[in-house]
Amino acid sequence: RAHVGFGRERRVAVHARAAPAGRGGHQTVELSAFVPKRLKNLSPEGLPLLVILHGLLGNSNNWRSMLTRPDCCPGMYTVSLDLRNHGKSGWAQTNSFAEMSDDVMEFAEGFGVREASLIGHSMGGKVAMHLALQYPEKVRSLVVVDIAPVDYAGSMMHETILQGMASLDLSLIASTADAREKLKDFVPDAAVREFVLTNLTLDAVSKKYAWKVNLDVLVASIRDGSLSSFPVAPGARYDGPCLFIRGARSGYMKEEYTARILELFPKAEFETLESGHWPHAEVPNDFLSIINDWFMRPENQGDADQVGADFFPRT
């Protein structure tokens, strides 16, 4: 079973049991997670589980401000994960959606969960969709944020960003401001540049800067199509409740993708927010209002007894 301990801050040491090989024969990695401190004194027994998955170059902290709000998804036990090769989770030499889905499954099964609801943004949205299509009986409901189940091979933005990160000689970086200046040529957008810099960390021992993400593997995964494509098994379909949230100023959710979405997710509903690619960060109140209303429907939240008695040890 998973070990849980609430830390001094709001970061929680949550790690699923790592199996030698995942369901699809993949090597799984330990995933780190964030659980808001407001849930510390609540028993998760009988609470529907909600797992949140970040996008490329993100981590569980991207959802911290929303998850710590007392009005966030009431009645659900919310967990935000670091996916493989990101944040505090384990690194691996490959980074496919099948592998990331198996990591999440191992995490959930480590807690004795029979089913869970998922929210996934961008890359995390693709992981959530893949998991729902591969293991539909394990997914109670699904929210996908500003991404579609299509091939995005035409976009080179992420590869350019990753190349810019890899081009920095971190041994010569004296400060975050120094890194910010050197990234300008590769990441001209100031907001995106600040997002990228959340991955820069100063080692407490060496006093040198390092990236929190596994850059070499992420670059290779973009180039070989592991992260840009979206392979689907013949006949795969998820018939559960599903909500797609689109940013009106984002180019990731085009009208032409609707038919493919409905082919794979026939019960899909759609909402549009006045935002770019990060609606949960750009218009958090509107975003939270939508997901709260949606999860309030009994069919979307899950059964009260879905979590086993040993989901978390009592403290």
Side-chain angles (χ1 to χ4, degrees):
R1 295 302 179 193
H3 170 72
V4 178
F6 286 85
R8 290 180 57 200
E9 304 298 328
R10 298 185 179 184
R11 165 67 57 179
V12 182
V14 183
H15 296 287
R17 171 180 52 82
R23 289 168 171 262
H26 308 119
Q27 181 74 36
T28 55
V29 302
E30 273 196 340
L31 299 183
S32 178
F34 168 77
V35 178
K37 194 175 181 179
R38 62 184 172 82
L39 297 176
K40 178 178 180 179
N41 295 321
L42 296 179
S43 169
E45 295 176 10
L47 290 179
L49 176 65
L50 174 61
V51 178
I52 301 179
L53 308 174
H54 62 79
L56 183 66
L57 297 178
N59 56 64
S60 57
N61 277 336
N62 298 155
W63 293 83
R64 175 186 289 261
S65 60
M66 181 166 291
L67 265 62
T68 53
R69 290 175 54 159
D71 58 339
C72 178
C73 303
M76 303 186 80
Y77 206 92
T78 51
V79 180
S80 177
L81 298 185
D82 288 338
L83 294 169
R84 65 165 54 199
N85 295 316
H86 289 76
K88 295 184 178 181
S89 286
W91 284 16
Q93 292 304 305
T94 49
N95 207 82
S96 70
F97 291 117
E99 292 165 324
M100 287 187 280
S101 295
D102 280 353
D103 292 342
V104 176
M105 280 298 302
E106 286 289 336
F107 177 89
E109 289 183 345
F111 291 115
V113 176
R114 293 201 298 273
E115 65 176 14
S117 294
L118 302 174
I119 296 178
H121 169 247
S122 199
M123 179 188 75
K126 281 195 167 186
V127 176
M129 287 187 287
H130 188 281
L131 199 156
L133 293 170
Q134 186 71 20
Y135 310 112
E137 75 283 357
K138 297 290 187 179
V139 178
R140 178 63 183 187
S141 56
L142 175 67
V143 177
V144 180
V145 185
D146 210 55
I147 202 72
V150 300
D151 188 340
Y152 285 90
S155 173
M156 300 299 290
M157 180 185 73
H158 286 112
E159 184 173 353
T160 301
I161 292 173
L162 291 167
Q163 286 176 339
M165 294 169 69
S167 72
L168 297 189
D169 184 345
L170 295 183
S171 66
L172 302 178
I173 296 297
S175 64
T176 302
D178 189 16
R180 181 181 294 113
E181 183 64 29
K182 288 180 167 59
L183 275 176
K184 279 186 177 179
D185 290 341
F186 294 92
V187 192
D189 185 280
V192 175
R193 192 162 59 249
E194 291 306 308
F195 172 71
V196 170
L197 287 171
T198 63
N199 287 284
L200 190 65
T201 183
L202 182 65
D203 186 88
V205 178
S206 68
K207 304 300 181 183
K208 296 292 185 181
Y209 283 95
W211 295 114
K212 297 177 185 178
V213 295
N214 190 343
L215 269 182
D216 291 343
V217 168
L218 295 181
V219 169
S221 298
I222 290 286
R223 290 177 175 172
D224 68 15
S226 296
L227 290 180
S228 56
S229 62
F230 189 73
V232 177
R237 195 172 83 163
Y238 175 67
D239 290 314
C242 187
L243 173 65
F244 282 76
I245 300 176
R246 167 182 172 266
R249 298 191 299 275
S250 170
Y252 282 84
M253 283 281 290
K254 298 180 180 179
E255 187 67 29
E256 63 200 67
Y257 300 154
T258 303
R260 181 56 170 165
I261 291 171
L262 291 172
E263 178 185 353
L264 297 175
F265 305 95
K267 293 185 179 179
E269 301 173 57
F270 299 88
E271 293 280 358
T272 299
L273 290 174
E274 287 301 320
S275 74
H277 184 50
W278 292 272
H280 54 293
E282 297 171 44
V283 285
N285 291 336
D286 294 339
F287 182 89
L288 189 57
S289 177
I290 286 174
I291 63 170
N292 277 348
D293 288 347
W294 194 76
F295 279 124
M296 283 298 290
R297 301 184 206 167
E299 67 272 19
N300 297 345
Q301 190 172 99
D303 299 326
D305 63 350
Q306 67 166 300
V307 179
D310 55 355
F311 186 118
F312 283 108
R314 289 187 178 276
T315 56

